């Protein structure tokens, strides 16, 4: 019996490529065992490991109440049920694609237009990344990814595709097929400036590798001058001519910007016709429910609502970020300055006895089990320096924010001397994801690999 | 530019493993170019290549009208919007899993219970099959599949997994990891009897290979004594002891039985804990929208409705099948006797000038372009004998049925002499998918392959 239970399965099923052994997911389990509830379990673990955007849900609920005909499951909209429930074309409902294309334009300041015919859907950004990897790379091929990066990528891009993620192409005989950037960055909450993005486009063109730009946090940006999409960069005069658009692909989603992670709306927007065609065929494995497509189509076609929602959502996120940052600063905890995202990157280096990842994990265990806050340690994001933690702040109400800050305050007071005696200043701007132009020049071709030693793209402090 | 457009993509993206070159999909395109509409395009192509169940949608719409609070997008249900839109646990909503488990029991006559904790969701049966293949087999491994089989399997199980589908393990050095059966059969519309199913279970246990039972048409069965699930077989006294349940996996879906293909509710029900765990992790790539999970949970918890829907749906399907069969018989066209499904298997062998697949394709082109009906030729189902066609009859209203029958009548009248002079009788029961007990004894182990020469499991006439 045991044999069939395990041995007769695939290598994938027997391995741990799913990545759930990471402390990122371990923290979720700790939360699930003892979840905070203001009345039922006031001493439980507060979930701050989940990048959800719950701050503007009331606006959506209001819109639904005013637009019941937008649903096929309301008395007002049920006459469309049959047609929608039976629609299974993998191109998706035309109005859905139009709505998403318009939203993508709007979250990028309407400075660039998106073509609805290039909108390919997939099961969340999770599915979008996997489909993109399946289209662009063979098993064993690699994508360059600046660290720190979202832990889920280790599952999404690698697990079933056999593709590798590497911070730089140091090994021979690895074919690098692309560069994956996350802009705004998860976990840093920072955005890339135009010059950096131009260098990225030049770099991937020079090396004939793909660029996948994950922009799922586009509308969470609250800093000025605001977010710049790769879609804008390739329209810039000095880039337009030299850029092969066949290499450019964007991953988008409604999970973060609209706050609908449960609806599994992931989007691949590729400038490469072959990728559009192939990804659309692959989308059969993760189509968005037509019930949801239909709702989203109606909601996104309401320009006035979308504009108001995006503006108000960014305003509320900025406010929440401010409250959180200030609360931490008051007890001596410094954070990297964010431009957006649903989290901040917290500097607890002064609390480490030694600057090692073992110490980071030890501190993390104290935070989760004693302070009872599930934050995510930097090591789970492949951060190269110990002591940083990602803290999500948009998945809770104001009361939970105050409780979590009070807990952090209590914890720091117990370690007061350590914090005050810390001589290391937090230099947040240094941590911004950036290409080093120095290293860009160091770029060398190796005899064994088409794309060796990359100009990294690494978060350092 | 061309290079990046195509050459820099993966082998999967550059190949044609997606299977869309099959006439099965080609027929869909012909329909899309000139779709029938009773008023706008009365001479257009009638789509009979799509196994949709549209006959009982009115019952669902009635239920929705009486239960608006079941939706999170109605005035009555919107207070649950925030919680549901933010729910992204890959276990799924508990009530959704309970509802599906109950439905699976009910469509199997409540003779067997399903455990909600073994319900794993995925993006339609399409996603369910791929996930199962990823869990059970490595690239290069094979599944045995009786022919004729659903053309989509060539995409679902093979394309991204690298797994092979073979009618029998004739080649050396192929590791056979499982047997895939479709019960009720698509395209035959027939069900497997208990004795055959017991032989299947004995066979896979004897050879230590997995059994994947695709039962997505379970509730469409209208014949008596009715459908038997593999779930019942493994509970039978004489099978229970010898069967290693770790080898048994069921694929289910709400697309056919409930008529919701757009909602992408696919289910993997495995008796193997490791597969449940792994498939659940993989379901991240194709989760069902929580908006849809929530609706389905409410609908399936209404026992009275579900019971009435299933009974009425089977009754209507039986009636439609009867009308269609009779209409074809009147002009001399014979069909295989079905037990269920949303299609019939039409015998046009008398119309072939020669019994070849070239002639079958030539006839198919006439049917689609002159008769203007999109049926699917047997070759697209890997049928081993030319002249058979799958005709879907549950995706249209009564008027379209009459028009399609009138078209077939006109066509046959032009070929009257051929039909009448045909001496070949249609022996439908011979075509039933079955294991030959004779060949079961022929089973031999080859020195190179763990599972050689299978007792096949092949539809012959």
């Amino acid at each position: 019996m045991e044999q069939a239970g395990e041995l007769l399965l695939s290598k994938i099923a027997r391995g741990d490529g799913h990545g759930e052994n990471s402390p990122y997911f371990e923290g979720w389990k700790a939360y699930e065992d003892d979840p905070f509830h203001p009345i039922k379990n006031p001493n439980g673990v507060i979930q701050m490991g989940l990048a959800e955007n719950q701050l503007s849900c009331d606006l959506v609920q209001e819109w639904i109440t005013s637009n019941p005909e937008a649903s096929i499951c309301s008395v007002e909209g049920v006459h469309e049920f049959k047609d929608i429930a039976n629609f299974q074309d993998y191109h998706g409902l035309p109005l859905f694609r139009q709505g998403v294309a318009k939203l993508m334009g709007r979250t990028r300041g309407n400075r660039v237009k998106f073509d609805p015919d290039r909108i390919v859907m997939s099961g969340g950004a999770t599915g979008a990344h996997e489909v993109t990897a399946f289209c662009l790379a063979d098993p064993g091929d690699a994508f360059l990814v600046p660290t720190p990066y979202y832990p889920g990528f280790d599952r999404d891009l690698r697990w079933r595709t056999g593709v590798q993620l590497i911070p730089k192409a140091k090994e021979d005989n690895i074919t690098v097929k692309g560069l994956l950037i996350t802009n705004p960055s998860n976990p840093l909450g920072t955005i890339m400036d135009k010059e950096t993005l131009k260098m990225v486009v030049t770099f991937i063109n020079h090396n004939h590798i793909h660029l996948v730009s994950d922009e799922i946090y586009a509308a969470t940006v609250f800093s000025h001058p605001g977010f710049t999409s790769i879609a804008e960069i390739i329209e810039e005069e000095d880039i337009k001519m030299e850029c092969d658009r066949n290499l450019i692909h964007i991953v988008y989603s409604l999970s973060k910007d609209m706050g609908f992670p449960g609806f599994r709306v992931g989007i691949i927007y590729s400038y490469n016709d072959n990728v559009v065609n192939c990804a659309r065929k692959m989308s059969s494995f993760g189509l968005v429910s037509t019930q949801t497509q239909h709702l989203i189509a109606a909601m996104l076609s309401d320009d006035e609502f979308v504009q108001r929602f995006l503006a108000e959502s960014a305003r509320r996120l900025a406010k929440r970020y401010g409250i959180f940052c200030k609360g931490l600063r008051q007890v001596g905890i410094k954070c990297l300055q964010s431009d957006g995202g649903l989290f901040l990157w917290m500097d607890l280096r002064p609390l480490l006895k030694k600057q090692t990842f073992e110490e980071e994990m030890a501190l993390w265990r104290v935070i989760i089990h004693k302070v009872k806050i599930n934050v995510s340690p930097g090591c789970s994001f492949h951060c190269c320096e110990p002591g940083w933690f990602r803290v999500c702040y948009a998945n809770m109400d104001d009361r939970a924010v105050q409780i979590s800050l009070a807990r952090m305050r209590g914890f720091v007071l117990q370690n007061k001397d350590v914090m005050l005696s810390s001589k290391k200043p937090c230099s947040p701007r240094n941590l911004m994801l950036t290409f080093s132009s120095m290293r860009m020049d160091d770029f060398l071709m190796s005899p064994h690999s088409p794309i060796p030693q990359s100009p990294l793209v690494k978060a350092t402090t």
Side-chain angles (χ1 to χ4, degrees), chain A residues 93-154:
Chain A
L93 293 170
L95 287 175
F96 167 78
R97 274 186 287 130
Q98 285 164 33
V100 172
K102 216 151 85 172
L103 177 71
M104 287 182 74
R106 194 180 290 276
T107 52
R108 287 148 189 85
N110 281 331
R111 293 179 297 273
V112 63
K113 267 199 183 310
F114 291 87
D115 177 359
D117 289 341
R118 293 194 180 279
I119 299 282
V120 176
M121 68 182 127
S122 66
T126 296
H129 275 294
E130 191 192 51
V131 164
T132 308
F134 267 125
C135 287
L136 303 182
D138 294 320
D141 289 351
F143 276 81
L144 297 171
V145 194
T147 58
Y149 65 81
Y150 166 58
F153 285 162
D154 289 331

Side-chain angles (χ1 to χ4, degrees), chain A residues 35-46 397 399-400 403 407:
Chain A
F36 169 80
H37 185 279
I39 294 146
K40 291 180 205 159
N41 191 21
N43 296 319
V45 174
I46 297 179
D397 59 18
R399 182 165 52 172
I403 295 170
R407 288 184 184 181

Side-chain angles (χ1 to χ4, degrees), chain A residues 341-353:
Chain A
L342 306 168
F343 31 71
L344 43 78
W345 193 233
M346 179 169 71
D347 181 6
L348 296 186
R349 286 176 298 174
L351 291 179
L352 297 187
K353 287 173 199 148

Side-chain angles (χ1 to χ4, degrees), chain A residues 217-248:
Chain A
Y217 290 95
T220 68
V221 173
F222 44 71
S223 71
H224 293 280
F227 173 67
T228 304
S229 168
I230 204 71
E232 297 168 57
I233 297 300
I234 61 173
E235 296 286 356
E236 296 264 325
E237 280 310 317
D238 50 340
I239 293 291
K240 208 168 181 173
M241 292 306 291
E242 64 162 319
C243 177
D244 179 354
R245 293 191 170 209
N246 282 314
L247 298 172
I248 310 289

Side-chain angles (χ1 to χ4, degrees), chain A residues 146-150 185-188 345 378 381-383 431 433 458-459:
Chain A
T147 58
Y149 65 81
Y150 166 58
S185 160
N186 176 5
L188 302 184
W345 193 233
F381 299 87
H382 303 269
C383 186
L431 199 81
L433 272 178
K458 207 169 165 185

